[in-house]
Amino acid sequence: MAAAGAGGSGASLGWRALPCLLSFCVVLAGLCRGNSVERKIYIPLNKTAPCVRLLNATHQIGCHSSISGDTGVIHVVEKEEDLQWVLTDGPNPPYVVLLEGTLFTRKVMEKLKASTSRIAGLAVSLAKPSPASGFSPSVQCPNDGFGVYSNSYGPEFAHCREIQWNYLGNGLAYEDFSFPIFLLEDENETNVIKQCYRDHNLSENGSAPAFPLCAMQLFSHMHAVISTVTCMRRSSIQSTFSINPEIVCDPLSDYNVWSMLKPINVSGTLEPDDRVVVAATQLDSRSFFWNVAPGAESAVASFVTQLAAAEALHKAPDVTTLPRNVMFVFFQGETFDYIGSSRMVYDMEKGKFPVQLENIDSFVELRQVALRNSLKLWMHTDPMSQKNESVRNQVEHLLTTLEKSGAGIPAVILQRPNQSQPLPPSSLQRFLRARNISGVVLTDHATIFHNRYYQSVYDTAENVNVSYPEWQSPEEDLHFVTDTAKTLADVATVLGRTLYQLAGGSNFSDTIQADPQTVTRLLYGFLVRANNSWFQSILRQDLRSYLGDGPLQHYIAVSSPTNTTYVVQCALANLTGKVTNLTREQCQDPSKVPNENKDLYEYTWVQGPLNSNETERLPQCVRSTARLARALSPAFELGQWGSTEYSTWTESRWKDISARIFLIASKELEVITLTVGFGVLVLSLVITYCVNAKADVLFIPPREPGAVSF
C-alpha cells in the first residue's frame, strides 16, 4: 500500500508539473523568435540624425520625446497647403509629419509648434538642391553678449545694432520644441516612408483613409531640463550622495589645437619680453541636428587655409632666426559663445598656458574666406581699441603689412571696411575683452555674411564650389586641384607672408607660397571623404576608425577629442613637423633618447605612406610642436553654472535615439483585441484553476498489473 501510494504521488506531481513545463517552452520559443517577429512588424530607420536638447544658464533649446517615444500617423507635407490635414482636418491625430526640406522654415515650424496636441513628431528630408533662398537655423547675431561689445564697451555696436551679420538666420536652432524632430539623411529610407504613406495613408477626395495606417515612432527622450544650472546641480547631488550617480547633462567641451613656429618649453611660461604673433581660426560648426555640422564655409575653409599657411611659413629658410615667434591656434567650441578662445584667455591670465597675454604682439584671424566676391578679402578691426593711439599705430602697421603681402598676389585684393564698423563675430573679441591688442579679422564679406547656409546642413562642399569630374576615382579626386583650392591657397600665401613679416622676417617673403595640392587634399578629406589614403598616412593606427567614407562633422560634442580635433592636429604635425628615425618605443617615450625633449616637441607614431607595392604601410615618428589644450568653458572650472561672462552650454544625456515605421490598427480594433485577449486570459486562468483542483480525479494513473489491495 505504501509503495503504491508513493508511486501514485510521484505520477501526480509529474502531471501537475506538465503545464509549467509547457509554459516554459512557450516563453523560451517566444524569446528565441522575438527578434524575428519584431523585424516583421517594424522597419528601422538607420540613417537619421536627431535634434537634441542643449541648455545654458537661462533656458533649454532643442527637441525631445516622451520616455517611451512618440508615435503618430505619417503625413507627407510637400507644400504648405498640406499642413491643413495635419493641423485641423485629419481624423487620426497625432501625426508625424514628413516635411520636405524646402518647407523647414520658421513660418511652418511656428504653425506646428502651436498645434502640439496634433503633432507627435517631425521627420525632415534634405532638400536637393539646397534651398535657393538660403537657410540658416542660427541667430542673426551669433554669440550675442559674449563678445567684446557691451553697454560699457562700444554700446552702439552691442547686440549687432549696426550690422545683423547673419541676416538670413531664423533662430530655429535656438528654439525649444516639445516634440521630436529627426533628419532623414538617406534618400532611399525617405522613399520607403513615402511609399508606405501612399499605400496606406493617402486619402481620396478628402475622405479618411482606411486602417491599417502607416505610422512612425521617434525615440529621443532627454534627461536634462530647464537650464544648465538645474541639470548640473542635479548631477552634482547625484555624484555626491549616490553610489551609482545618474548624470543628466555634460558641458560641451573638446580641445584647441595649437603649435609654435619655433619650439618653446611648455613646462613653463615665456619671458615677458618674448613676442608672439597669433594666427587663429575656429574648428567647429553646428546645425539644427546633432552631429550634422559640415561647416564648409563657416569653419573648414578657414582652418584649411591656416593649415596651408602654416606649412608654407615653416618652409622659409630663416624661420628659426626670426625675432618673434608665431603661434597657430585652432579654437574649438567657438559656435557656442567662444568656448575655446575664452578658455585660452583664462589659462593665459592664470599662468596655465606657456604664452601669456602680454606676449601677444599682434593677432590675425581667419573667418569665412571661401566665398569672396571680385577677389576681395576684407580686413576687419576694432574701432574702440584704436582710440588708444599706440594700438591704432600697431593696427595700421598690421594692415599695411597685409596689403604689402597681398600686392604680389593678384588673385587677392585686400580691402578695408568702414573704420567705424565693428568686428564680426570672432575669437579676437574674447582677447580684446582681456587686453587691448592689435588684431585683424580676415573675411570674404564686408558686412553681412556671404554664406547663405551658415551653421546649417547645407553648408557643404557644394556651398564652397568644391566638385570633381564624375569619371574620376576617389584617389584621383583626392589629388584633383579644384578652383576653390587655388583661391584658398592664394589667401594662405597672403597669410603666410604676412605672418613672416610680422615675425620680423624680410629676406624670403616672396618665396613663401602655399601649396594648392595641400589645400585640395585637405578640402577633400574634410568635406568629401575622410577615409582617404593621405589622412590614413598621417594618423595613428588607433585612430583609423575615426575616418568614415563621408565627410567629417565638426560639432564640438561632449566626448573629446572629436574626430576633427585629432585629424587637424595630425595634419598640422604632418605639414609643419619632421619625420625622425626613432623607433616606435622611442617615439612613445622620447625622454630616454639623447637630444630629444618632450617639453619642446610632441612625438606621434603614425601609420605612414604605403610601400612601393602598396600592400602595407611604412610607420614613422613625426616630431612637431602641434599640441592640444583643453577647450572647456571656465564656468565649469569655477562652478559658475549661471555665468554671464563665460559659455555655459551643456548637452542633455539620453538613453536611446531611434526611429522606425510600422502599421497600426484602429483604436476600435485595439480595444476589441485587448478585450478578447483579457477574456481569454481570464478563461484560461479559470480552466487552469479547475483542472488543478480536480487533478487527483482527472489524472489518476492506471494501476500496475498484479497490484493487490486488502
Side-chain angles (χ1 to χ4, degrees):
M1 176 68 179
S9 176
S12 178
L13 288 172
W15 283 103
R16 290 181 181 180
L18 184 60
C20 296
L21 181 61
L22 290 174
S23 299
F24 175 75
C25 292
V26 170
V27 171
L28 184 62
L31 291 174
C32 293
R33 298 187 58 81
N35 289 337
S36 176
V37 173
E38 183 178 0
R39 286 196 297 270
K40 291 179 180 178
I41 297 175
Y42 300 104
I43 299 177
L45 303 175
N46 298 316
K47 295 184 179 180
T48 61
C51 161
V52 303
R53 175 170 289 166
L54 301 175
L55 310 97
N56 66 8
T58 57
H59 60 285
Q60 63 185 29
I61 63 173
C63 322
H64 78 112
S65 74
S66 62
I67 194 168
S68 57
D70 291 338
T71 302
V73 175
I74 296 172
H75 188 75
V76 176
V77 175
E78 296 179 328
K79 53 186 182 298
E80 198 166 335
E81 291 75 18
D82 295 337
L83 287 172
Q84 187 71 22
W85 182 268
V86 174
L87 300 178
T88 57
D89 297 347
N92 301 302
Y95 289 94
V96 170
V97 178
L98 174 53
L99 191 68
E100 292 294 324
T102 52
L103 294 176
F104 189 48
T105 62
R106 187 171 191 87
K107 179 182 177 182
V108 171
M109 293 303 296
E110 284 178 347
K111 290 182 179 180
L112 296 175
K113 194 174 181 180
S115 302
T116 53
S117 62
R118 294 181 60 88
I119 304 298
L122 183 66
V124 182
S125 63
L126 281 172
K128 293 185 179 180
S130 301
S133 58
F135 174 75
S136 173
S138 185
V139 291
Q140 294 186 341
C141 187
N143 293 347
D144 185 21
F146 289 86
V148 68
Y149 302 114
S150 64
N151 293 332
S152 59
Y153 185 96
E156 65 272 29
F157 305 132
H159 312 299
C160 299
R161 289 192 179 101
E162 183 168 311
I163 301 173
Q164 295 291 322
W165 296 98
N166 183 34
Y167 75 105
L168 286 175
N170 58 33
L172 281 180
Y174 291 84
E175 291 284 333
D176 183 37
F177 295 92
S178 60
F179 49 82
I181 303 177
F182 278 59
L183 175 69
L184 302 175
E185 299 183 278
D186 183 58
E187 192 172 355
N188 292 329
E189 289 189 345
T190 303
N191 291 333
V192 169
I193 299 170
K194 288 183 176 180
Q195 187 61 49
C196 185
Y197 165 78
R198 287 190 290 265
D199 292 343
H200 299 277
N201 298 8
L202 197 58
S203 62
E204 296 182 4
N205 301 321
S207 61
F211 285 92
L213 299 177
C214 189
M216 184 183 296
Q217 190 173 30
L218 302 175
F219 295 88
S220 62
H221 179 66
M222 300 287 125
H223 295 174
V225 293
I226 302 178
S227 68
T228 288
V229 176
T230 302
C231 77
M232 290 297 292
R233 184 174 63 243
R234 286 179 57 190
S235 298
S236 177
I237 293 172
Q238 285 273 337
S239 300
T240 304
F241 298 104
S242 177
I243 298 176
N244 297 309
E246 181 182 351
I247 307 301
V248 296
C249 68
D250 300 283
L252 294 181
S253 66
D254 202 329
Y255 287 85
N256 298 323
V257 181
W258 67 284
S259 73
M260 303 297 297
L261 183 64
K262 295 182 289 184
I264 62 173
N265 192 329
V266 296
S267 62
T269 58
L270 294 180
E271 296 296 327
D273 293 337
D274 292 334
R275 309 303 292 165
V276 176
V277 179
V278 177
T281 189
Q282 79 172 64
L283 283 180
D284 67 303
S285 184
R286 71 164 300 197
S287 74
F288 186 88
F289 301 98
W290 182 76
N291 204 32
V292 180
E297 161 73 339
S298 59
V300 175
S302 56
F303 72 66
V304 162
T305 301
Q306 182 157 298
L307 285 168
E311 178 191 37
L313 182 57
H314 272 76
K315 292 179 179 179
D318 61 342
V319 290
T320 58
T321 61
L322 295 177
R324 288 179 283 277
N325 210 337
V326 178
M327 180 171 74
F328 295 94
V329 190
F330 302 79
F331 290 117
Q332 264 286 10
E334 297 302 273
T335 300
F336 294 96
D337 299 339
Y338 305 118
I339 293 175
S341 55
S342 63
R343 177 54 185 265
M344 181 165 284
V345 170
Y346 175 81
D347 286 343
M348 287 179 171
E349 290 177 324
K350 301 299 180 182
K352 298 179 180 180
F353 193 78
V355 179
Q356 306 296 292
L357 284 172
E358 55 266 26
N359 296 128
I360 297 177
D361 182 79
S362 52
F363 195 106
V364 183
E365 182 174 357
L366 290 179
R367 283 269 175 162
Q368 299 194 78
V369 293
L371 300 177
R372 290 185 292 133
N373 288 339
S374 304
L375 309 178
K376 293 178 181 178
L377 187 66
W378 295 89
M379 304 178 292
H380 300 268
T381 58
D382 172 41
M384 298 302 297
S385 59
Q386 292 183 67
K387 292 180 179 180
N388 180 299
E389 184 178 357
S390 174
V391 174
R392 183 170 65 252
N393 293 336
Q394 293 174 27
V395 170
E396 181 60 33
H397 171 68
L398 177 55
L399 298 179
T400 303
T401 304
L402 270 165
E403 291 168 339
K404 180 181 176 182
S405 300
I409 311 295
V412 180
I413 301 174
L414 277 302
Q415 295 281 305
R416 301 189 187 194
N418 191 314
Q419 193 170 5
S420 62
Q421 183 175 302
L423 284 170
S426 53
S427 305
L428 174 59
Q429 293 200 31
R430 291 301 303 193
F431 283 80
L432 288 172
R433 283 178 71 134
R435 185 183 180 89
N436 271 353
I437 58 177
S438 63
V440 62
V441 179
L442 303 177
T443 71
D444 53 21
H445 51 86
T447 53
I448 58 175
F449 294 166
H450 289 170
N451 185 4
R452 294 177 298 137
Y453 307 109
Y454 180 73
Q455 292 182 6
S456 84
V457 295
Y458 303 111
D459 191 9
T460 59
E462 290 77 13
N463 187 36
V464 293
N465 304 312
V466 172
S467 59
Y468 304 89
E470 294 182 359
W471 60 84
Q472 288 188 170
S473 66
E475 191 64 23
E476 290 172 327
D477 287 345
L478 173 64
H479 301 287
F480 179 78
V481 180
T482 63
D483 291 339
T484 301
K486 295 175 183 177
T487 60
L488 291 180
D490 290 332
V491 176
T493 298
V494 172
L495 177 61
R497 293 180 180 182
T498 300
L499 295 174
Y500 176 78
Q501 293 179 48
L502 291 175
S506 58
N507 297 328
F508 300 97
S509 179
D510 293 340
T511 66
I512 296 174
Q513 187 76 38
D515 186 0
Q517 186 66 237
T518 295
V519 177
T520 207
R521 289 188 299 182
L522 288 166
L523 288 175
Y524 181 80
F526 285 111
L527 295 179
V528 181
R529 184 185 177 90
N531 189 15
N532 61 71
S533 59
W534 187 57
F535 272 13
Q536 287 283 4
S537 69
I538 66 175
L539 286 184
R540 305 197 311 259
Q541 188 174 9
D542 61 306
L543 300 179
R544 288 182 301 174
S545 61
Y546 280 47
L547 303 179
D549 290 333
L552 289 174
Q553 304 300 326
H554 311 295
Y555 174 64
I556 179 176
V558 296
S559 56
S560 55
T562 60
N563 303 16
T564 298
T565 302
Y566 270 133
V567 175
V568 168
Q569 183 194 15
C570 291
L572 184 61
N574 176 271
L575 297 172
T576 62
K578 293 183 179 180
V579 176
T580 67
N581 59 359
L582 300 180
T583 65
R584 181 171 184 169
E585 290 73 22
Q586 291 173 329
C587 191
Q588 293 174 344
D589 186 14
S591 60
K592 300 178 181 179
V593 182
N595 302 323
E596 299 293 347
N597 190 336
K598 202 160 186 176
D599 288 335
L600 295 178
Y601 297 101
E602 188 80 3
Y603 298 81
T604 309
W605 185 257
V606 300
Q607 294 188 97
L610 292 169
N611 61 13
S612 56
N613 297 327
E614 296 190 354
T615 55
E616 59 182 20
R617 295 194 173 275
L618 303 174
Q620 53 195 16
C621 183
V622 176
R623 182 182 67 195
S624 71
T625 61
R627 300 177 183 273
L628 300 180
R630 198 79 173 100
L632 171 68
S633 172
F636 300 101
E637 290 282 310
L638 301 170
Q640 299 174 359
W641 305 323
S643 173
T644 57
E645 170 72 13
Y646 299 112
S647 172
T648 56
W649 284 106
T650 55
E651 179 184 274
S652 174
R653 287 197 178 185
W654 58 81
K655 185 177 181 180
D656 179 38
I657 287 183
S658 62
R660 59 188 183 182
I661 63 173
F662 55 97
L663 298 180
I664 59 171
S666 65
K667 296 294 182 183
E668 292 79 7
L669 182 57
E670 290 179 350
V671 171
I672 292 172
T673 303
L674 177 62
T675 304
V676 171
F678 184 74
V680 171
L681 174 62
V682 172
L683 181 61
S684 64
L685 290 175
V686 171
I687 293 174
T688 302
Y689 174 78
C690 294
V691 170
N692 187 60
K694 301 295 183 180
D696 292 341
V697 177
L698 295 174
F699 304 111
I700 296 176
R703 293 180 179 180
E704 296 181 7
V708 180
S709 61
F710 297 95

